[in-house]
Amino acid sequence: MPVPWFLLSLALGRSPVVLSLERLVGPQDATHCSPGLSCRLWDSDILCLPGDIVPAPGPVLAPTHLQTELVLRCQKETDCDLCLRVAVHLAVHGHWEEPEDEEKFGGAADSGVEEPRNASLQAQVVLSFQAYPTARCVLLEVQVPAALVQFGQSVPSSPLSSQGSVVYDCFEAALGSEVRIWSYTQPRYEKELNHTQQLPALPWLNVSADGDNVHLVLNVSEEQHFGLSLYWNQVQGPPKPRWHKNLTGPQIITLNHTDLVPCLCIQVWPLEPDSVRTNICPFREDPRAHQNLWQAARLQLLTLQSWLLDAPCSLPAEAALCWRAPGGDPCQPLVPPLSWENVTVDKVLEFPLLKGHPNLCVQVNSSEKLQLQECLWADSLGPLKDDVLLLETRGPQDNRSLCALEPSGCTSLPSKASTRAARLGEYLLQDLQSGQCLQLWDDDLGALWACPMDKYIHKRWALVWLACLLFAAALSLILLLKKDHAKAAARGRAALLLYSADDSGFERLVGALASALCQLPLRVAVDLWSRRELSAQGPVAWFHAQRRQTLQEGGVVVLLFSPGAVALCSEWLQDGVSGPGAHGPHDAFRASLSCVLPDFLQGRAPGSYVGACFDRLLHPDAVPALFRTVPVFTLPSQLPDFLGALQQPRAPRSGRLQERAEQVSRALQPALDSYFHPPGTPAPGRGVGPGAGPGAGDGT
């Protein structure tokens, strides 16, 4: 639909500037070329398929430069569309080869060789135009007689002589939009040319900042009906709509600064048939938008080897594996032997791993700065382990060298250095040869091995204790018992976590909670980390052994309620037995009910059991009344009280309880976001526009 004259005047400046634009009459596209060239426009658009570069069979016409010019395509005297005229400058690439007979005898070649020289040069030039939401490709046929062909210098690096230009009228574009134009020949002999241009925007659409808020100010008449849409512009794939609403008259739309990302764009159009839509992307260079983009980015583990980066916008990044040892040392990149890999948002990537390990993490860098780091395998494989990573390097003639990765670098084995790995180097090599180390990666050039260090630490402590016992033989039995009590306190209270395996997403959420609790002075047991023992012993025997050991050590049993767990408890309370269900062979919660219920019925549960459930998943009132005889906490809203209940019964209330609750909440939040907002659905923090939330995306 033609744009009213006063809008073009507002967008392009004062009337003299607008009047200076050339006007085209009629809706038809056209083409014309410089003298000496003949050109023709194909009747219809073509598919935009550049294809691969192929060798030129001889001299060919190819685009060398693109120029654009704003013109007006008018239906009436004062109703015009803004249009972009494109001029493609052409030059001849390549030469006709001299015939061998002519070079050898100085004479003329036969007519069969001269015939191509007398033929005209022809080229099919493609113009590709993109301006959201429009994409077009047109084909121009250009021909130049052989007598008028102008060759450049014979040196490949020297500039080519211009053969002329062909002009296309014209591509319609919306005010304020960014247009991208490519040009190439068909078939393609050279790299395509590209040109990007930002068209003038309407001054009645402004963006202003007010503290932490951003205002979209639309100064239009009170009678004007228009649509407003916010979307994420994607380099690859279609735009992702975020919010849309039909409005009337002047409006001020308020956005929170946390909603800003570089690809957040605004589209405005009058509510009329075939109206032209105006697009503006004002936050591309906003530092807050780039910071929000990385804060919203998430790494997600899909399988053992595959993962993806989930983010609102495309971003330049590269990723590599790193090894994180317990104790707070920085994660050490495994480059080499592995390499940095380019990352594309929402595209599945793979690392060549044989096995996963909780100490393996993924680092994502952008502009040589670390932006993201997550240990993706920790939720499913448990907390960080005190393992040593061995790097095996393979050379020619079966030469092999080993080194142990430490904070100070990679220590060669064997070595006389004073590091921990050097002192235990002989034992590590023996473990590697006996197959006690876990191989994580293997390649022609090397391998990675994770070797456990727990047994060496236990041996070392055993020697220390033996020396202490010999030195303190005269001490009384009471002092020895106090030492044992202090040792048990340092290990932390035992906690047995029971849950119903409703689905794989809930299992990952439970694994994240268990991993977070392990960072506190707690020793957590959960069937998710003991599947081998669970399969060997059976669910009932495994739970009885874990419950007995936990309660004997003064520990606590945590019942994590979910809809599936409540349904199982209700079955037991009604029938006394649990009927067959869809739960698998590893479901310890179903097996545990046979001895959990007697503890509650006989009043032995208080002090030894606590209950918990996740906010937004289950209300505490849904838990059967029998199990509410012990405290039932909602997570993460009641994390401080929940952690207080997990402390030793006579332990003083720690002043660091709130700090530990915040630590657990931060570790649990990514898993909660992934469970309640799977990839591809907007999270609450990413909603934009007024009324963001359920139903806010429906245009009214």
Side-chain angles (χ1 to χ4, degrees):
M1 176 181 177
V3 180
W5 181 256
F6 82 95
L7 293 185
L8 282 176
S9 302
L10 287 174
L12 302 177
R14 299 179 179 272
S15 296
V17 177
V18 180
L19 293 174
S20 65
L21 295 181
E22 181 180 343
R23 298 190 185 188
L24 306 177
V25 180
Q28 298 299 322
D29 295 343
T31 184
H32 59 275
C33 44
S34 56
L37 299 181
S38 60
C39 51
R40 183 178 74 89
L41 174 66
W42 274 41
D43 295 335
S44 59
D45 290 359
I46 65 171
L47 294 177
C48 303
L49 299 173
D52 298 328
I53 296 178
V54 298
V60 293
L61 275 176
T64 59
H65 182 58
L66 290 176
Q67 282 183 310
T68 59
E69 178 186 3
L70 287 176
V71 296
L72 299 178
R73 171 174 282 169
C74 301
Q75 306 295 328
K76 299 179 181 179
E77 180 65 23
T78 59
D79 285 334
C80 302
D81 283 332
L82 191 63
C83 214
L84 196 63
R85 170 183 288 168
V86 182
V88 184
H89 294 266
L90 303 170
V92 177
H93 290 234
H95 296 269
W96 279 299
E97 296 182 358
E98 295 292 338
E100 295 183 1
D101 292 344
E102 185 175 348
E103 293 179 357
K104 189 172 183 179
F105 301 106
D110 57 38
S111 58
V113 176
E114 291 185 0
E115 183 177 354
R117 290 180 153 196
N118 297 326
S120 60
L121 286 182
Q122 296 182 352
Q124 291 185 334
V125 179
V126 177
L127 282 178
S128 175
F129 173 87
Q130 289 186 8
Y132 176 78
T134 303
R136 292 184 59 197
C137 276
V138 298
L139 182 63
L140 311 176
E141 287 189 345
V142 186
Q143 182 173 332
V144 56
L148 299 180
V149 172
Q150 300 178 21
F151 291 101
Q153 304 295 325
S154 59
V155 181
S157 60
S158 63
L160 296 172
S161 298
S162 175
Q163 190 64 55
S165 62
V166 57
V167 178
Y168 171 75
D169 287 328
C170 58
F171 291 115
E172 293 185 9
L175 292 168
S177 62
E178 181 186 75
V179 299
R180 299 177 182 179
I181 301 174
W182 291 267
S183 180
Y184 50 88
T185 58
Q186 197 175 49
R188 190 158 66 100
Y189 302 120
E190 303 284 342
K191 184 179 180 181
E192 65 268 19
L193 300 179
N194 63 82
H195 175 80
T196 302
Q197 183 172 346
Q198 182 71 46
L199 298 188
L202 294 176
W204 45 263
L205 175 59
N206 296 315
V207 179
S208 62
D210 180 16
D212 288 341
N213 295 325
V214 175
H215 298 312
L216 306 181
V217 182
L218 296 102
N219 296 319
V220 300
S221 63
E222 295 183 357
E223 301 82 12
Q224 179 68 57
H225 300 276
F226 61 93
L228 177 67
S229 175
L230 304 181
Y231 63 93
W232 287 343
N233 191 24
Q234 304 295 303
V235 175
Q236 296 181 346
K240 296 181 179 179
R242 305 301 301 164
W243 182 79
H244 165 257
K245 200 166 187 180
N246 296 336
L247 303 171
T248 302
Q251 295 283 341
I252 298 180
I253 310 298
T254 301
L255 305 177
N256 192 285
H257 73 96
T258 57
D259 299 330
L260 305 184
V261 290
C263 62
L264 179 62
C265 298
I266 307 159
Q267 186 179 81
V268 184
W269 68 96
L271 296 178
E272 300 173 359
D274 300 327
S275 58
V276 176
R277 301 193 174 201
T278 299
N279 299 273
I280 180 174
C281 302
F283 309 110
R284 289 176 178 168
E285 307 300 329
D286 193 324
R288 295 176 302 175
H290 286 272
Q291 183 179 0
N292 292 340
L293 175 59
W294 282 110
Q295 289 178 349
R298 292 289 183 269
L299 298 178
Q300 297 183 5
L301 183 66
L302 303 179
T303 64
L304 170 65
Q305 296 178 324
S306 61
W307 60 282
L308 62 79
L309 174 62
D310 180 26
C313 313
S314 300
L315 41 82
E318 55 182 6
L321 287 175
C322 65
W323 180 264
R324 183 181 177 187
D329 292 323
C331 198
Q332 296 175 272
L334 301 179
V335 180
L338 301 178
S339 59
W340 289 98
E341 300 288 343
N342 292 329
V343 178
T344 301
V345 172
D346 293 334
K347 180 180 179 182
V348 177
L349 301 171
E350 291 188 355
F351 281 125
L353 293 176
L354 301 177
K355 297 287 185 181
H357 195 281
N359 294 29
L360 282 175
C361 306
V362 177
Q363 286 184 339
V364 179
N365 284 9
S366 181
S367 301
E368 299 183 355
K369 180 181 179 182
L370 178 63
Q371 298 289 357
L372 279 179
Q373 177 178 298
E374 293 188 26
C375 300
L376 300 179
W377 293 269
D379 289 345
S380 58
L381 300 179
L384 299 178
K385 295 183 179 181
D386 194 14
D387 291 359
V388 170
L389 186 69
L390 299 185
L391 277 68
E392 178 185 347
T393 303
R394 298 165 184 166
Q397 300 179 353
D398 295 333
N399 290 334
R400 188 177 74 162
S401 61
L402 287 167
C403 68
L405 189 65
E406 297 186 282
S408 58
C410 206
T411 304
S412 299
L413 297 180
S415 173
K416 296 182 179 180
S418 58
T419 64
R420 183 180 70 160
R423 289 192 295 268
L424 299 175
E426 181 179 350
Y427 301 103
L428 292 173
L429 294 176
Q430 291 177 359
D431 288 349
L432 180 62
Q433 294 175 357
S434 61
Q436 299 184 43
C437 297
L438 179 66
Q439 188 174 18
L440 306 179
W441 172 75
D442 186 53
D443 188 78
D444 294 338
L445 301 179
L448 295 176
W449 306 81
C451 298
M453 295 287 289
D454 294 343
K455 60 181 180 181
Y456 302 116
I457 296 176
H458 294 160
K459 288 181 180 179
R460 189 175 180 181
W461 278 109
L463 294 175
V464 172
W465 278 111
L466 180 60
C468 291
L469 289 174
L470 293 175
F471 179 76
L475 293 179
S476 65
L477 181 60
I478 297 177
L479 292 178
L480 182 60
L481 291 175
K482 286 184 177 181
K483 289 183 180 180
D484 290 338
H485 179 72
K487 180 182 177 183
R491 294 175 59 197
R493 193 182 188 189
L496 174 60
L497 189 59
L498 297 179
Y499 68 100
S500 174
D502 291 4
D503 53 52
S504 59
F506 187 74
E507 283 191 310
R508 286 193 293 270
L509 187 57
V510 173
L513 175 62
S515 298
L517 294 178
C518 285
Q519 306 300 321
L520 308 178
L522 290 171
R523 291 178 289 118
V524 180
V526 61
D527 67 333
L528 190 63
W529 299 343
S530 305
R531 291 290 169 81
R532 182 179 299 176
E533 293 86 351
L534 194 67
S535 298
Q537 301 175 18
V540 175
W542 182 87
F543 169 75
H544 277 276
Q546 294 293 327
R547 170 186 165 278
R548 181 174 61 254
Q549 179 180 352
T550 300
L551 297 182
Q552 286 178 352
E553 295 177 0
V556 60
V557 178
V558 180
L559 300 177
L560 191 56
F561 288 101
S562 64
V566 170
L568 284 174
C569 293
S570 300
E571 290 178 14
W572 270 93
L573 293 174
Q574 293 174 3
D575 304 330
V577 294
S578 178
H583 295 259
H586 302 307
D587 193 352
F589 188 88
R590 177 184 290 270
S592 67
L593 291 178
S594 60
C595 59
V596 167
L597 284 174
D599 288 343
F600 280 84
L601 294 173
Q602 298 173 16
R604 298 193 303 264
S608 300
Y609 288 77
V610 296
C613 59
F614 288 107
D615 294 324
R616 294 184 291 170
L617 182 62
L618 186 72
H619 194 276
D621 293 340
V623 177
L626 176 64
F627 295 94
R628 279 185 273 134
T629 56
V630 300
V632 178
F633 304 95
T634 58
L635 307 180
S637 59
Q638 294 182 329
L639 261 175
D641 296 333
F642 175 67
L643 298 183
L646 298 184
Q647 288 185 334
Q648 296 284 356
R650 293 179 298 277
R653 190 82 172 182
S654 173
R656 298 181 57 193
L657 198 58
Q658 183 63 36
E659 179 182 346
R660 291 173 177 174
E662 293 176 357
Q663 177 184 351
V664 173
S665 180
R666 286 193 301 269
L668 191 59
Q669 194 59 46
L672 288 170
D673 292 343
S674 177
Y675 182 77
F676 291 107
H677 303 281
T681 61
R686 300 183 190 174
V688 296
D698 300 327
T700 57

